[in-house]
């Protein structure tokens, strides 16, 4: 299981003082990109090589609100569920007390230059 941390910034909060719901998607994406780096892959470089990884479904379950200054730990675990799809199981937890703020399952696939789904061998390292 891969983990990364970040701190909630003021501008990510709405008028109620909590993180806007859409911002959680940015946190999850950041963690997935860090996960790729930890596996020796670079998202931008993959794209330059014609391997475009795209989200095709996002399931998010909000558990508690985050506020400015909160420190969070985001976990990532990849699972191949078909020849073309990889699911990323992710959680966002408050770093100080391990309280679950969000759980998510992000379904992805890769598409080639013609926009056709495929699973290039280079992505196999995500499943190790």
């Amino acid at each position: 299981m891969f983990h990364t941390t970040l701190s909630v910034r003021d501008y990510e909060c709405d008028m109620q003082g909590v993180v806007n719901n859409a911002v959680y998607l940015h946190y999850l994406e950041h963690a997935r990109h860090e996960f790729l780096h930890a596996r020796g892959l670079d998202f931008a470089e993959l794209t330059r090589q014609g391997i475009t990884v795209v989200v095709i479904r996002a399931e998010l379950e909000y558990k508690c609100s985050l506020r400015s200054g909160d420190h969070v730990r985001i976990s990532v675990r990849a699972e191949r569920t078909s020849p073309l799809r990889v699911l990323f199981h992710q959680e966002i937890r408050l770093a100080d007390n391990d309280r679950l703020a969000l759980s998510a399952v992000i379904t992805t696939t890769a598409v080639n230059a013609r926009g056709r789904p495929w699973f290039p061998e280079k992505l196999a390292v995500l499943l190790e």
Side-chain angles (χ1 to χ4, degrees):
M1 180 81 66
F2 174 82
H3 295 90
T4 191
T5 59
L6 59 82
S7 297
V8 174
R9 296 158 292 244
D10 293 338
Y11 63 84
E12 297 167 328
C13 298
D14 59 23
M15 292 185 65
Q16 297 169 333
V18 298
V19 172
N20 179 279
N21 63 347
V23 173
Y24 289 82
L25 288 167
H26 292 274
Y27 294 168
L28 296 172
E29 184 173 23
H30 172 73
R32 289 192 308 277
H33 285 217
E34 291 297 312
F35 175 73
L36 287 175
H37 281 286
R39 297 290 194 273
L41 299 174
D42 178 88
F43 190 79
E45 182 58 31
L46 287 172
T47 302
R48 282 190 288 278
Q49 295 172 10
I51 302 170
T52 305
V53 179
V54 296
V55 172
I56 58 174
R57 182 183 181 112
E59 301 171 56
L60 285 70
E61 188 172 346
Y62 299 91
K63 299 293 189 174
C64 77
S65 296
L66 297 175
R67 298 182 178 281
S68 180
D70 282 344
H71 301 284
V72 298
R73 188 184 73 227
I74 307 168
S75 63
V76 181
R77 180 177 59 84
E79 172 190 20
R80 189 169 181 184
T81 58
S82 80
L84 299 173
R85 291 184 178 181
V86 173
L87 269 58
F88 288 94
H89 300 272
Q90 295 186 257
E91 290 184 343
I92 299 175
R93 292 182 173 270
L94 288 160
D96 62 345
N97 63 13
D98 204 40
R99 183 175 179 196
L100 181 63
L102 178 132
S103 62
V105 178
I106 307 297
T107 306
T108 67
T109 193
V111 293
N112 62 21
R114 295 186 337 238
R116 305 285 302 165
W118 69 313
F119 188 85
E121 278 305 308
K122 185 170 259 190
L123 297 181
V125 299
L126 299 176
L127 308 170
E128 297 174 352

